Amino acid sequence: MNRLLIVLLILSGLNALAQHAQTQTASLVQPFSVSPRTGSQHINLSGSWQLSWLDKPVSSLSELFGVKETITTQVPNTVQMSLYKAGKYPHPYYHKNSDMYKWVDEKVWYYRKTVDIPATAQGNYVFLCFDGIDYFSKVWLNGKLLGDHEGMFGGPVVEVSKEVEYGKPNEIVVEVRAANWGNKAEDINNLPLNANGDRDFSKRKGYNPRSSGRIIKPWVIAGGTGGEMFFALGMWQGARIEMVPKYHLERPFMVTQKATAQEATLSLNLEILAD
């Protein structure tokens, strides 16, 4: 009886570990970068994307098919400016129009775009590169979740040669959540006044742009003074696809250390990526 109980406990533990592994999302944080190429090695993904929003993150991309409203936006841009340019709201920087955008950082935003990858790219490395997504993001390619990323200053960069369909359209979906997701600051209009008659920010609960901890984001676009209602988010930098040989040079940097009329001393630093 004791042996049977031990076996059941072991099986239960293994099942729990397997379920945990299935629900874990791979991190797309990586130590390298891929610089923009030119010509046939480069596809610019900036420009037109479809943008929609939901109240909570999807568990399956099929949930996006039921989204009632989708707008066309231009990347790079913020979600707020995308709504403005789509004619949904007046300019967020005029008067107190930013009040109309208070709900934006409470939603989950989805960018979608289809791009053709040439058949000639097969056999190379194919990097899907984002130069800045503000702030929490997930990326899917052709329905496969590649992983998630945190931080607005560059990335993610993902090698997707095995996920790409060559010579065919490929769908990219990017989920974006604000840096204050799940920790929105209390409305300043609800803060008590101090002895000077000013709002007492020491009493404010939720996200604090002056002390944000692990969140690295300029405070002036994260609820700082004068911008409390306008918490920016979105694909604020461009995106691209780079197709490079499996043996190639990356990030060359040359400087002149010394130069005379007769000779010069140069210094060259680079990375060599070998398969």
Side-chain angles (χ1 to χ4, degrees):
M1 189 68 179
N2 290 336
R3 290 182 179 179
L4 178 59
L5 180 59
I6 291 173
V7 170
L8 290 175
L9 287 172
I10 291 174
L11 291 175
S12 177
L14 291 175
N15 183 58
L17 287 173
Q19 290 180 351
H20 178 71
Q22 291 175 357
T23 57
Q24 289 293 95
T25 304
S27 172
L28 299 181
V29 175
Q30 37 69 25
F32 62 88
S33 65
V34 177
S35 55
R37 266 46 186 189
T38 58
S40 61
Q41 289 188 329
H42 175 81
I43 298 177
N44 185 7
L45 296 179
S46 297
S48 181
W49 288 67
Q50 296 301 303
L51 180 62
S52 56
W53 58 95
L54 293 171
D55 291 330
K56 60 182 181 178
V58 300
S59 56
S60 169
L61 286 185
S62 61
E63 298 174 41
L64 294 179
F65 297 131
V67 174
K68 296 180 180 179
E69 190 168 12
T70 300
I71 63 174
T72 299
T73 186
Q74 296 296 308
V75 170
N77 215 334
T78 64
V79 168
Q80 286 89 345
M81 292 304 293
S82 295
L83 292 169
Y84 160 65
K85 291 186 176 182
K88 299 296 181 182
Y89 297 97
H91 199 293
Y93 292 146
Y94 291 167
H95 310 295
K96 293 193 68 177
N97 293 344
S98 58
D99 283 348
M100 302 180 188
Y101 292 82
K102 286 182 179 180
W103 62 277
V104 171
D105 56 2
E106 300 172 3
K107 305 298 181 180
V108 187
W109 297 85
Y110 290 91
Y111 292 82
R112 303 176 72 175
K113 187 180 183 72
T114 300
V115 59
D116 290 335
I117 307 295
T120 54
Q122 198 160 5
N124 294 321
Y125 282 133
V126 180
F127 289 99
L128 176 58
C129 307
F130 297 90
D131 293 323
I133 304 176
D134 185 4
Y135 189 83
F136 299 102
S137 61
K138 288 183 179 179
V139 181
W140 289 261
L141 178 61
N142 296 327
K144 179 181 178 181
L145 177 60
L146 302 178
D148 57 22
H149 186 264
E150 175 180 336
M152 64 179 291
F153 295 109
V157 174
V158 197
E159 204 286 301
V160 294
S161 58
K162 294 181 180 179
E163 287 75 27
V164 163
E165 295 186 8
Y166 297 94
K168 300 179 181 179
N170 292 260
E171 185 183 56
I172 303 167
V173 177
V174 181
E175 176 190 282
V176 181
R177 290 176 289 124
N180 65 346
W181 173 260
N183 189 35
K184 186 166 183 173
E186 185 179 3
D187 194 310
I188 61 169
N189 295 319
N190 297 331
L191 296 179
L193 301 179
N194 57 27
N196 297 323
D198 300 322
R199 297 290 178 184
D200 189 350
F201 282 90
S202 67
K203 299 293 194 299
R204 195 177 196 186
K205 299 177 181 178
Y207 183 89
N208 182 356
R210 297 167 178 81
S211 178
S212 56
R214 65 182 290 176
I215 306 299
I216 302 175
K217 182 177 172 73
W219 70 275
V220 293
I221 57 171
T225 302
E228 285 82 4
M229 310 306 178
F230 194 85
F231 201 105
L233 74 152
M235 289 179 60
W236 73 288
Q237 295 282 31
R240 51 195 167 85
I241 289 176
E242 311 297 346
M243 297 156 285
V244 300
K246 293 193 173 181
Y247 297 85
H248 66 279
L249 302 181
E250 188 64 60
R251 295 200 292 185
F253 181 70
M254 179 179 286
V255 296
T256 302
Q257 294 184 329
K258 181 181 178 181
T260 67
Q262 290 75 34
E263 62 180 9
T265 302
L266 306 178
S267 173
L268 173 64
N269 292 278
L270 53 83
E271 297 175 359
I272 301 176
L273 275 70
D275 200 20

